């Protein structure tokens, strides 16, 4: 199989502190980079109210930290984090599908894959602060391959944009 190049489309309205919309061209993945102070503006993006995964980025005791989560409605879940979380995150990166094929079971499976990938990066660039390990939701075998592909696209986008939570550090020789 030929390994083709990929194109990431990054859109923003206004300046660099606005919400950024991300998509991998010719794929079903779409995402947003959103400062904490602008979460309420995500309501203007109906796609952010679909099943998806999200990563909250911030610091704890001067150390970079991240929380990985999932929800059937990502926007509503982020509002809950604003109201109830002790973690003073600064930024959110969230991903949903462009179609309606991503379900609650899919995003639970995806959250688990993201969590365990981030935890496996030694030494950790960013501390994962989830209080408990997410459990995978059983999904059909055919869907498992789709979720693995979605996860690979997510890792590619995150790494390309400088979010190295899922990328091993290069060997130093």
């Amino acid at each position: 199989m030929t390994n083709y190049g990929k194109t990431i489309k990054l859109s923003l309205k206004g300046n660099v502190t606005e919400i950024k919309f991300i998509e991998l061209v010719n794929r079903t993945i779409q995402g947003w980079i959103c400062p904490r102070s602008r979460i309420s503006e995500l309501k203007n993006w109906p796609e952010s109210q679909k099943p998806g995964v999200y990563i909250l980025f911030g610091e704890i005791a001067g150390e970079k930290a991240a929380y990985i989560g999932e929800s059937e409605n990502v926007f509503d879940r982020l509002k809950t984090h604003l109201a109830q979380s002790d973690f003073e995150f600064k930024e959110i990166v969230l991903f949903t599908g462009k179609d309606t094929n991503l379900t609650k079971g899919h995003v639970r499976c995806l959250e688990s894959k993201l969590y365990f990938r981030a935890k496996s990066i030694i030494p950790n660039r960013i501390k994962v602060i989830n209080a408990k390990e997410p459990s995978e939701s059983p999904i059909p075998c055919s869907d498992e391959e789709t979720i693995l592909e979605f996860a690979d696209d997510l890792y590619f986008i995150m790494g390309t944009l400088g979010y190295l939570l899922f990328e091993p550090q290069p060997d130093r020789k």
Side-chain angles (χ1 to χ4, degrees), residues 83-145:
Q84 299 174 352
S85 179
D86 291 335
F87 178 40
E88 287 294 321
F89 59 94
K90 304 283 185 235
E91 187 172 53
I92 304 101
V93 180
L94 65 114
F95 293 93
T96 65
K98 292 179 185 175
D99 52 29
T100 58
N101 293 328
L102 207 57
T103 68
K104 175 69 172 173
H106 293 122
V107 295
R108 284 190 64 204
C109 183
L110 189 55
E111 174 198 32
S112 177
K113 294 197 179 315
L114 300 180
Y115 173 85
F116 287 107
R117 166 97 175 227
K119 292 292 277 188
S120 74
I121 304 299
I122 305 294
N124 297 97
R125 285 187 172 102
I126 301 171
K127 181 180 181 179
V128 178
I129 61 163
N130 292 50
K132 61 182 182 174
E133 291 183 355
S135 58
E136 271 195 38
S137 180
I139 58 175
C141 189
S142 60
D143 288 355
E144 177 76 21
E145 296 296 319

Short mmCIF file of all heavy atoms in Angstrom, two decimals, residues 83-145:
data_model
loop_
_atom_site.label_atom_id
_atom_site.label_comp_id
_atom_site.label_asym_id
_atom_site.label_seq_id
_atom_site.Cartn_x
_atom_site.Cartn_y
_atom_site.Cartn_z
N ALA A 83 -17.64 23.94 35.56
CA ALA A 83 -18.37 24.16 36.81
C ALA A 83 -17.85 23.32 37.96
O ALA A 83 -17.91 23.75 39.11
CB ALA A 83 -19.86 23.86 36.59
N GLN A 84 -17.32 22.12 37.69
CA GLN A 84 -17.03 21.19 38.78
C GLN A 84 -15.58 20.76 38.92
O GLN A 84 -15.23 20.15 39.92
CB GLN A 84 -17.88 19.94 38.61
CG GLN A 84 -19.36 20.22 38.66
CD GLN A 84 -20.19 18.99 38.34
OE1 GLN A 84 -19.69 17.96 37.93
NE2 GLN A 84 -21.49 19.12 38.51
N SER A 85 -14.74 21.04 37.96
CA SER A 85 -13.38 20.51 37.98
C SER A 85 -12.45 21.31 38.86
O SER A 85 -12.49 22.54 38.87
CB SER A 85 -12.82 20.47 36.55
OG SER A 85 -11.51 19.98 36.55
N ASP A 86 -11.58 20.61 39.58
CA ASP A 86 -10.52 21.26 40.35
C ASP A 86 -9.31 21.56 39.47
O ASP A 86 -8.45 22.33 39.83
CB ASP A 86 -10.07 20.36 41.51
CG ASP A 86 -11.14 20.22 42.57
OD1 ASP A 86 -12.00 21.12 42.68
OD2 ASP A 86 -11.13 19.21 43.29
N PHE A 87 -9.25 20.94 38.32
CA PHE A 87 -8.14 21.10 37.38
C PHE A 87 -8.33 22.40 36.62
O PHE A 87 -9.29 22.56 35.88
CB PHE A 87 -8.08 19.90 36.44
CG PHE A 87 -7.01 19.96 35.39
CD1 PHE A 87 -5.74 20.43 35.68
CD2 PHE A 87 -7.25 19.51 34.10
CE1 PHE A 87 -4.73 20.47 34.71
CE2 PHE A 87 -6.27 19.53 33.12
CZ PHE A 87 -5.01 20.01 33.43
N GLU A 88 -7.42 23.33 36.82
CA GLU A 88 -7.51 24.63 36.14
C GLU A 88 -6.88 24.54 34.75
O GLU A 88 -5.83 25.13 34.49
CB GLU A 88 -6.81 25.71 36.98
CG GLU A 88 -7.58 26.10 38.21
CD GLU A 88 -8.89 26.81 37.89
OE1 GLU A 88 -8.93 27.61 36.94
OE2 GLU A 88 -9.87 26.54 38.59
N PHE A 89 -7.53 23.80 33.87
CA PHE A 89 -7.01 23.64 32.51
C PHE A 89 -7.08 24.96 31.77
O PHE A 89 -7.88 25.83 32.08
CB PHE A 89 -7.78 22.54 31.77
CG PHE A 89 -9.25 22.79 31.65
CD1 PHE A 89 -9.78 23.42 30.53
CD2 PHE A 89 -10.12 22.38 32.65
CE1 PHE A 89 -11.13 23.65 30.42
CE2 PHE A 89 -11.49 22.60 32.55
CZ PHE A 89 -12.00 23.24 31.43
N LYS A 90 -6.19 25.09 30.79
CA LYS A 90 -6.11 26.34 30.02
C LYS A 90 -6.68 26.20 28.61
O LYS A 90 -7.11 27.18 28.01
CB LYS A 90 -4.65 26.79 29.90
CG LYS A 90 -3.94 26.97 31.21
CD LYS A 90 -4.35 28.24 31.86
CE LYS A 90 -3.56 28.50 33.13
NZ LYS A 90 -4.36 28.71 34.28
N GLU A 91 -6.64 24.95 28.09
CA GLU A 91 -7.01 24.75 26.69
C GLU A 91 -7.63 23.37 26.53
O GLU A 91 -7.30 22.44 27.25
CB GLU A 91 -5.74 24.87 25.83
CG GLU A 91 -5.96 24.84 24.36
CD GLU A 91 -4.68 25.17 23.61
OE1 GLU A 91 -3.64 24.53 23.85
OE2 GLU A 91 -4.74 26.07 22.77
N ILE A 92 -8.50 23.26 25.53
CA ILE A 92 -9.17 22.00 25.21
C ILE A 92 -8.90 21.70 23.76
O ILE A 92 -8.95 22.59 22.91
CB ILE A 92 -10.71 22.12 25.39
CG1 ILE A 92 -11.07 22.58 26.78
CG2 ILE A 92 -11.39 20.82 25.04
CD1 ILE A 92 -11.40 24.03 26.83
N VAL A 93 -8.63 20.42 23.48
CA VAL A 93 -8.61 19.94 22.11
C VAL A 93 -9.66 18.85 22.07
O VAL A 93 -9.65 17.93 22.90
CB VAL A 93 -7.23 19.39 21.70
CG1 VAL A 93 -7.25 18.90 20.26
CG2 VAL A 93 -6.14 20.45 21.89
N LEU A 94 -10.62 18.96 21.16
CA LEU A 94 -11.68 17.96 21.09
C LEU A 94 -11.87 17.48 19.67
O LEU A 94 -11.57 18.20 18.71
CB LEU A 94 -13.00 18.51 21.65
CG LEU A 94 -13.66 19.66 20.92
CD1 LEU A 94 -14.99 19.19 20.35
CD2 LEU A 94 -13.88 20.80 21.88
N PHE A 95 -12.34 16.24 19.56
CA PHE A 95 -12.53 15.61 18.25
C PHE A 95 -13.88 14.91 18.20
O PHE A 95 -14.27 14.24 19.16
CB PHE A 95 -11.43 14.58 17.96
CG PHE A 95 -10.08 15.19 17.78
CD1 PHE A 95 -9.21 15.30 18.85
CD2 PHE A 95 -9.68 15.66 16.54
CE1 PHE A 95 -7.96 15.88 18.69
CE2 PHE A 95 -8.43 16.23 16.37
CZ PHE A 95 -7.57 16.34 17.45
N THR A 96 -14.56 15.07 17.07
CA THR A 96 -15.78 14.34 16.78
C THR A 96 -15.67 13.83 15.34
O THR A 96 -14.70 14.14 14.65
CB THR A 96 -17.05 15.23 16.92
OG1 THR A 96 -17.01 16.25 15.92
CG2 THR A 96 -17.16 15.84 18.30
N GLY A 97 -16.69 13.11 14.90
CA GLY A 97 -16.73 12.68 13.51
C GLY A 97 -17.54 13.65 12.68
O GLY A 97 -18.40 14.36 13.20
N LYS A 98 -17.27 13.68 11.38
CA LYS A 98 -18.03 14.57 10.49
C LYS A 98 -19.40 14.00 10.18
O LYS A 98 -20.28 14.73 9.76
CB LYS A 98 -17.27 14.75 9.17
CG LYS A 98 -16.00 15.54 9.31
CD LYS A 98 -15.31 15.65 7.96
CE LYS A 98 -13.96 16.33 8.08
NZ LYS A 98 -13.24 16.33 6.80
N ASP A 99 -19.58 12.71 10.40
CA ASP A 99 -20.87 12.08 10.14
C ASP A 99 -21.48 11.63 11.46
O ASP A 99 -21.03 12.04 12.52
CB ASP A 99 -20.70 10.90 9.16
CG ASP A 99 -19.62 9.93 9.62
OD1 ASP A 99 -19.40 9.79 10.84
OD2 ASP A 99 -19.01 9.29 8.75
N THR A 100 -22.50 10.80 11.40
CA THR A 100 -23.17 10.35 12.63
C THR A 100 -22.77 8.93 13.02
O THR A 100 -23.43 8.31 13.84
CB THR A 100 -24.70 10.40 12.45
OG1 THR A 100 -25.06 9.59 11.34
CG2 THR A 100 -25.16 11.83 12.24
N ASN A 101 -21.68 8.42 12.47
CA ASN A 101 -21.28 7.04 12.73
C ASN A 101 -20.54 6.85 14.05
O ASN A 101 -20.42 5.72 14.52
CB ASN A 101 -20.41 6.51 11.58
CG ASN A 101 -21.20 6.38 10.30
OD1 ASN A 101 -22.40 6.10 10.34
ND2 ASN A 101 -20.56 6.59 9.18
N LEU A 102 -20.03 7.90 14.66
CA LEU A 102 -19.31 7.79 15.93
C LEU A 102 -20.34 7.79 17.07
O LEU A 102 -21.06 8.76 17.25
CB LEU A 102 -18.35 8.98 16.06
CG LEU A 102 -17.11 8.81 16.89
CD1 LEU A 102 -16.26 7.64 16.41
CD2 LEU A 102 -16.29 10.09 16.88
N THR A 103 -20.40 6.68 17.81
CA THR A 103 -21.39 6.52 18.88
C THR A 103 -20.72 6.61 20.25
O THR A 103 -19.50 6.69 20.36
CB THR A 103 -22.07 5.15 18.76
OG1 THR A 103 -21.10 4.13 19.05
CG2 THR A 103 -22.69 4.94 17.39
N LYS A 104 -21.54 6.55 21.29
CA LYS A 104 -21.04 6.54 22.66
C LYS A 104 -20.07 5.38 22.87
O LYS A 104 -19.01 5.55 23.49
CB LYS A 104 -22.23 6.45 23.64
CG LYS A 104 -21.85 6.30 25.09
CD LYS A 104 -21.23 7.55 25.65
CE LYS A 104 -21.06 7.42 27.16
NZ LYS A 104 -20.33 8.53 27.74
N GLY A 105 -20.39 4.21 22.36
CA GLY A 105 -19.49 3.06 22.49
C GLY A 105 -18.16 3.30 21.80
O GLY A 105 -17.10 2.95 22.33
N HIS A 106 -18.20 3.91 20.63
CA HIS A 106 -16.97 4.21 19.90
C HIS A 106 -16.08 5.18 20.68
O HIS A 106 -14.87 4.97 20.79
CB HIS A 106 -17.28 4.82 18.53
CG HIS A 106 -17.95 3.89 17.59
ND1 HIS A 106 -19.16 4.17 17.03
CD2 HIS A 106 -17.57 2.68 17.11
CE1 HIS A 106 -19.51 3.18 16.23
NE2 HIS A 106 -18.57 2.26 16.26
N VAL A 107 -16.68 6.25 21.22
CA VAL A 107 -15.85 7.24 21.91
C VAL A 107 -15.33 6.72 23.25
O VAL A 107 -14.24 7.10 23.67
CB VAL A 107 -16.54 8.62 22.05
CG1 VAL A 107 -16.77 9.23 20.68
CG2 VAL A 107 -17.81 8.58 22.85
N ARG A 108 -16.06 5.81 23.88
CA ARG A 108 -15.53 5.16 25.10
C ARG A 108 -14.31 4.33 24.75
O ARG A 108 -13.31 4.34 25.47
CB ARG A 108 -16.59 4.30 25.77
CG ARG A 108 -17.62 5.13 26.53
CD ARG A 108 -18.52 4.29 27.38
NE ARG A 108 -17.76 3.63 28.43
CZ ARG A 108 -18.14 2.52 29.04
NH1 ARG A 108 -19.28 1.94 28.70
NH2 ARG A 108 -17.41 1.99 29.98
N CYS A 109 -14.38 3.59 23.65
CA CYS A 109 -13.25 2.79 23.18
C CYS A 109 -12.08 3.70 22.81
O CYS A 109 -10.93 3.44 23.16
CB CYS A 109 -13.70 1.95 22.00
SG CYS A 109 -12.44 0.84 21.36
N LEU A 110 -12.37 4.79 22.13
CA LEU A 110 -11.35 5.73 21.71
C LEU A 110 -10.68 6.39 22.91
O LEU A 110 -9.44 6.51 22.96
CB LEU A 110 -11.98 6.77 20.79
CG LEU A 110 -11.08 7.73 20.05
CD1 LEU A 110 -10.02 7.01 19.23
CD2 LEU A 110 -11.91 8.63 19.14
N GLU A 111 -11.46 6.80 23.89
CA GLU A 111 -10.91 7.40 25.11
C GLU A 111 -9.91 6.44 25.76
O GLU A 111 -8.82 6.84 26.17
CB GLU A 111 -12.02 7.73 26.11
CG GLU A 111 -11.48 8.22 27.44
CD GLU A 111 -12.50 8.15 28.57
OE1 GLU A 111 -13.35 7.23 28.56
OE2 GLU A 111 -12.42 8.99 29.47
N SER A 112 -10.27 5.17 25.86
CA SER A 112 -9.39 4.17 26.46
C SER A 112 -8.09 4.07 25.68
O SER A 112 -7.00 4.03 26.26
CB SER A 112 -10.11 2.83 26.50
OG SER A 112 -9.26 1.84 27.02
N LYS A 113 -8.17 4.03 24.38
CA LYS A 113 -6.97 3.93 23.54
C LYS A 113 -6.07 5.16 23.73
O LYS A 113 -4.85 5.04 23.85
CB LYS A 113 -7.34 3.75 22.08
CG LYS A 113 -8.03 2.41 21.84
CD LYS A 113 -8.05 2.00 20.44
CE LYS A 113 -8.72 0.65 20.25
NZ LYS A 113 -8.35 -0.40 21.16
N LEU A 114 -6.66 6.34 23.77
CA LEU A 114 -5.88 7.57 23.97
C LEU A 114 -5.22 7.57 25.34
O LEU A 114 -4.03 7.90 25.47
CB LEU A 114 -6.78 8.80 23.83
CG LEU A 114 -7.50 9.02 22.51
CD1 LEU A 114 -8.34 10.29 22.57
CD2 LEU A 114 -6.54 9.05 21.35
N TYR A 115 -5.97 7.20 26.35
CA TYR A 115 -5.46 7.18 27.72
C TYR A 115 -4.25 6.24 27.82
O TYR A 115 -3.19 6.63 28.32
CB TYR A 115 -6.57 6.74 28.68
CG TYR A 115 -6.09 6.54 30.09
CD1 TYR A 115 -6.02 7.61 30.97
CD2 TYR A 115 -5.71 5.29 30.56
CE1 TYR A 115 -5.58 7.44 32.27
CE2 TYR A 115 -5.27 5.10 31.85
CZ TYR A 115 -5.21 6.18 32.71
OH TYR A 115 -4.75 6.01 34.00
N PHE A 116 -4.39 5.01 27.35
CA PHE A 116 -3.31 4.05 27.49
C PHE A 116 -2.11 4.39 26.60
O PHE A 116 -0.97 4.14 26.99
CB PHE A 116 -3.81 2.62 27.26
CG PHE A 116 -4.63 2.13 28.42
CD1 PHE A 116 -6.00 2.01 28.31
CD2 PHE A 116 -4.03 1.84 29.64
CE1 PHE A 116 -6.76 1.59 29.40
CE2 PHE A 116 -4.78 1.43 30.74
CZ PHE A 116 -6.15 1.29 30.61
N ARG A 117 -2.35 5.00 25.46
CA ARG A 117 -1.22 5.45 24.63
C ARG A 117 -0.45 6.55 25.36
O ARG A 117 0.77 6.53 25.43
CB ARG A 117 -1.73 5.94 23.28
CG ARG A 117 -0.74 6.73 22.45
CD ARG A 117 -0.05 5.88 21.41
NE ARG A 117 0.79 6.68 20.55
CZ ARG A 117 0.81 6.59 19.24
NH1 ARG A 117 0.03 5.73 18.62
NH2 ARG A 117 1.62 7.34 18.53
N ALA A 118 -1.16 7.54 25.91
CA ALA A 118 -0.50 8.64 26.62
C ALA A 118 0.26 8.12 27.84
O ALA A 118 1.38 8.56 28.12
CB ALA A 118 -1.52 9.69 27.03
N LYS A 119 -0.34 7.18 28.57
CA LYS A 119 0.31 6.63 29.77
C LYS A 119 1.54 5.79 29.41
O LYS A 119 2.43 5.62 30.24
CB LYS A 119 -0.67 5.79 30.58
CG LYS A 119 -1.79 6.57 31.22
CD LYS A 119 -1.33 7.48 32.31
CE LYS A 119 -1.17 6.73 33.61
NZ LYS A 119 -0.91 7.59 34.76
N SER A 120 1.59 5.25 28.19
CA SER A 120 2.70 4.38 27.80
C SER A 120 3.94 5.16 27.36
O SER A 120 5.01 4.59 27.21
CB SER A 120 2.28 3.44 26.67
OG SER A 120 2.16 4.14 25.44
N ILE A 121 3.79 6.46 27.15
CA ILE A 121 4.92 7.28 26.71
C ILE A 121 5.83 7.51 27.92
O ILE A 121 5.46 8.17 28.87
CB ILE A 121 4.44 8.63 26.12
CG1 ILE A 121 3.46 8.42 24.97
CG2 ILE A 121 5.62 9.50 25.72
CD1 ILE A 121 4.00 7.66 23.79
N ILE A 122 7.03 6.92 27.85
CA ILE A 122 7.99 7.02 28.95
C ILE A 122 9.25 7.68 28.41
O ILE A 122 9.77 7.22 27.41
CB ILE A 122 8.33 5.63 29.51
CG1 ILE A 122 7.08 4.87 29.92
CG2 ILE A 122 9.31 5.72 30.66
CD1 ILE A 122 6.32 5.46 31.09
N PRO A 123 9.81 8.69 29.03
CA PRO A 123 9.20 9.43 30.14
C PRO A 123 8.07 10.31 29.62
O PRO A 123 8.09 10.76 28.50
CB PRO A 123 10.35 10.28 30.68
CG PRO A 123 11.25 10.48 29.51
CD PRO A 123 11.11 9.24 28.65
N ASN A 124 7.10 10.51 30.47
CA ASN A 124 5.93 11.30 30.07
C ASN A 124 6.30 12.77 29.89
O ASN A 124 6.94 13.35 30.76
CB ASN A 124 4.82 11.19 31.12
CG ASN A 124 4.31 9.78 31.26
OD1 ASN A 124 4.75 9.07 32.15
ND2 ASN A 124 3.43 9.37 30.39
N ARG A 125 5.92 13.31 28.77
CA ARG A 125 6.07 14.75 28.56
C ARG A 125 5.02 15.49 29.35
O ARG A 125 5.24 16.59 29.82
CB ARG A 125 5.87 15.09 27.08
CG ARG A 125 6.98 14.72 26.17
CD ARG A 125 6.64 15.32 24.79
NE ARG A 125 7.75 15.17 23.90
CZ ARG A 125 7.82 14.23 22.96
NH1 ARG A 125 6.84 13.39 22.80
NH2 ARG A 125 8.87 14.16 22.19
N ILE A 126 3.86 14.86 29.43
CA ILE A 126 2.70 15.49 30.06
C ILE A 126 2.07 14.45 30.98
O ILE A 126 1.81 13.32 30.57
CB ILE A 126 1.69 15.95 28.98
CG1 ILE A 126 2.36 16.94 28.01
CG2 ILE A 126 0.45 16.56 29.61
CD1 ILE A 126 1.53 17.28 26.79
N LYS A 127 1.81 14.85 32.21
CA LYS A 127 1.21 13.94 33.19
C LYS A 127 -0.28 13.80 32.91
O LYS A 127 -1.01 14.78 32.83
CB LYS A 127 1.43 14.50 34.59
CG LYS A 127 0.87 13.65 35.68
CD LYS A 127 1.13 14.28 37.04
CE LYS A 127 0.56 13.39 38.11
NZ LYS A 127 0.81 13.92 39.44
N VAL A 128 -0.74 12.56 32.78
CA VAL A 128 -2.16 12.28 32.58
C VAL A 128 -2.80 12.17 33.97
O VAL A 128 -2.36 11.37 34.79
CB VAL A 128 -2.38 10.98 31.77
CG1 VAL A 128 -3.86 10.69 31.62
CG2 VAL A 128 -1.70 11.10 30.41
N ILE A 129 -3.82 12.99 34.22
CA ILE A 129 -4.35 13.11 35.58
C ILE A 129 -5.73 12.50 35.78
O ILE A 129 -6.38 12.76 36.80
CB ILE A 129 -4.37 14.59 36.04
CG1 ILE A 129 -5.26 15.42 35.11
CG2 ILE A 129 -2.96 15.15 36.11
CD1 ILE A 129 -5.66 16.75 35.68
N ASN A 130 -6.18 11.66 34.86
CA ASN A 130 -7.47 11.00 35.06
C ASN A 130 -7.46 10.28 36.39
O ASN A 130 -6.48 9.59 36.72
CB ASN A 130 -7.74 10.00 33.93
CG ASN A 130 -7.96 10.67 32.60
OD1 ASN A 130 -7.18 11.52 32.19
ND2 ASN A 130 -9.01 10.27 31.91
N ALA A 131 -8.53 10.39 37.17
CA ALA A 131 -8.60 9.74 38.47
C ALA A 131 -8.70 8.23 38.35
O ALA A 131 -8.25 7.50 39.23
CB ALA A 131 -9.79 10.29 39.27
N LYS A 132 -9.30 7.75 37.27
CA LYS A 132 -9.40 6.30 37.06
C LYS A 132 -9.17 5.97 35.60
O LYS A 132 -9.38 6.80 34.72
CB LYS A 132 -10.74 5.76 37.55
CG LYS A 132 -11.95 6.32 36.85
CD LYS A 132 -13.23 5.76 37.42
CE LYS A 132 -14.41 6.32 36.63
NZ LYS A 132 -15.65 5.75 37.02
N GLU A 133 -8.76 4.73 35.37
CA GLU A 133 -8.54 4.27 34.01
C GLU A 133 -9.88 4.07 33.31
O GLU A 133 -10.78 3.44 33.86
CB GLU A 133 -7.79 2.93 34.01
CG GLU A 133 -6.37 3.03 34.47
CD GLU A 133 -5.64 1.68 34.40
OE1 GLU A 133 -6.26 0.65 34.06
OE2 GLU A 133 -4.43 1.69 34.66
N PRO A 134 -10.00 4.58 32.10
CA PRO A 134 -11.24 4.35 31.35
C PRO A 134 -11.32 2.90 30.90
O PRO A 134 -10.30 2.27 30.64
CB PRO A 134 -11.13 5.29 30.16
CG PRO A 134 -9.70 5.64 30.04
CD PRO A 134 -9.07 5.44 31.38
N SER A 135 -12.52 2.38 30.84
CA SER A 135 -12.69 1.01 30.36
C SER A 135 -13.21 1.07 28.93
O SER A 135 -13.99 1.95 28.57
CB SER A 135 -13.67 0.25 31.25
OG SER A 135 -14.91 0.91 31.27
N GLU A 136 -12.74 0.11 28.12
CA GLU A 136 -13.18 0.06 26.73
C GLU A 136 -14.60 -0.46 26.67
O GLU A 136 -14.96 -1.39 27.37
CB GLU A 136 -12.28 -0.87 25.92
CG GLU A 136 -11.11 -0.15 25.33
CD GLU A 136 -10.42 -0.96 24.25
OE1 GLU A 136 -11.09 -1.65 23.46
OE2 GLU A 136 -9.19 -0.89 24.20
N SER A 137 -15.38 0.15 25.82
CA SER A 137 -16.72 -0.34 25.56
C SER A 137 -16.61 -1.40 24.47
O SER A 137 -15.92 -1.19 23.48
CB SER A 137 -17.57 0.84 25.08
OG SER A 137 -18.87 0.44 24.81
N PRO A 138 -17.27 -2.53 24.64
CA PRO A 138 -17.20 -3.54 23.57
C PRO A 138 -17.89 -3.01 22.31
O PRO A 138 -19.00 -2.50 22.38
CB PRO A 138 -17.94 -4.74 24.16
CG PRO A 138 -18.72 -4.22 25.31
CD PRO A 138 -18.10 -2.94 25.76
N ILE A 139 -17.17 -3.12 21.21
CA ILE A 139 -17.73 -2.71 19.92
C ILE A 139 -17.48 -3.83 18.92
O ILE A 139 -16.59 -4.67 19.14
CB ILE A 139 -17.13 -1.38 19.42
CG1 ILE A 139 -15.60 -1.47 19.29
CG2 ILE A 139 -17.51 -0.22 20.31
CD1 ILE A 139 -14.95 -0.24 18.68
N PRO A 140 -18.23 -3.88 17.84
CA PRO A 140 -18.01 -4.92 16.84
C PRO A 140 -16.59 -4.89 16.28
O PRO A 140 -15.98 -3.82 16.20
CB PRO A 140 -19.03 -4.61 15.74
CG PRO A 140 -20.06 -3.76 16.41
CD PRO A 140 -19.35 -3.01 17.49
N CYS A 141 -16.09 -6.04 15.92
CA CYS A 141 -14.73 -6.18 15.39
C CYS A 141 -14.48 -5.23 14.22
O CYS A 141 -13.43 -4.60 14.13
CB CYS A 141 -14.49 -7.63 14.98
SG CYS A 141 -12.78 -7.96 14.55
N SER A 142 -15.44 -5.10 13.33
CA SER A 142 -15.27 -4.21 12.18
C SER A 142 -15.13 -2.76 12.61
O SER A 142 -14.42 -1.98 11.99
CB SER A 142 -16.44 -4.36 11.21
OG SER A 142 -17.66 -4.04 11.86
N ASP A 143 -15.80 -2.39 13.69
CA ASP A 143 -15.70 -1.03 14.20
C ASP A 143 -14.36 -0.80 14.90
O ASP A 143 -13.86 0.33 14.94
CB ASP A 143 -16.84 -0.72 15.17
CG ASP A 143 -18.17 -0.56 14.46
OD1 ASP A 143 -18.20 -0.59 13.22
OD2 ASP A 143 -19.19 -0.40 15.15
N GLU A 144 -13.77 -1.84 15.44
CA GLU A 144 -12.47 -1.73 16.12
C GLU A 144 -11.42 -1.16 15.15
O GLU A 144 -10.65 -0.27 15.51
CB GLU A 144 -12.03 -3.10 16.64
CG GLU A 144 -10.68 -3.11 17.28
CD GLU A 144 -10.63 -2.53 18.68
OE1 GLU A 144 -11.69 -2.45 19.34
OE2 GLU A 144 -9.53 -2.14 19.11
N GLU A 145 -11.40 -1.65 13.93
CA GLU A 145 -10.44 -1.16 12.93
C GLU A 145 -10.70 0.31 12.63
O GLU A 145 -9.77 1.10 12.46
CB GLU A 145 -10.53 -1.99 11.65
CG GLU A 145 -10.15 -3.44 11.83
CD GLU A 145 -8.69 -3.62 12.22
OE1 GLU A 145 -7.83 -2.91 11.66
OE2 GLU A 145 -8.41 -4.46 13.09
#
